[in-house]
Amino acid sequence: TFHVGSSLVKPDYHDVDLRCMLPDDEYDRLFESDKGDALLLFLNAAISEWVAARTGLPIDFQFQRATEANSTFTGRRNAVGH
């Protein structure tokens, strides 16, 4: 999981973006089924709310497929917990 986005560089950020980048095959196994979209939306929202409640920060947590995340995002990343 990585801390990304404007909260790394701007004091007036809107929210704290956390991205859990999964290997493509693992992401597909979890979220590429008939119910995958619903599961993805549920988990993203549930984890966002859980972390926000514990930190007091506005959290935007999302699971992402690693290949897509690496091809579209070129900004800073800070590994969470390292």
Side-chain angles (χ1 to χ4, degrees):
T1 300
F2 293 90
H3 176 198
V4 302
S6 63
S7 60
L8 286 170
V9 295
K10 293 173 33 178
D12 61 339
Y13 60 88
H14 174 70
D15 57 15
V16 177
D17 297 306
L18 299 177
R19 300 296 181 262
C20 181
M21 290 179 254
L22 298 175
D24 294 355
D25 59 336
E26 185 174 346
Y27 182 95
D28 292 343
R29 184 177 53 79
L30 291 170
F31 302 119
E32 295 295 320
S33 69
D34 292 342
K35 298 178 183 177
D37 286 342
L39 178 62
L40 179 63
L41 292 172
F42 172 77
L43 289 174
N44 286 347
I47 294 170
S48 292
E49 292 294 325
W50 187 80
V51 176
R54 277 142 188 82
T55 64
L57 297 170
I59 301 295
D60 176 14
F61 176 93
Q62 295 177 25
F63 286 100
Q64 290 183 326
R65 182 181 284 114
T67 298
E68 291 172 4
N70 289 329
S71 68
T72 60
F73 183 76
T74 59
R76 287 179 50 190
R77 293 179 181 160
N78 286 348
V80 175
H82 290 263

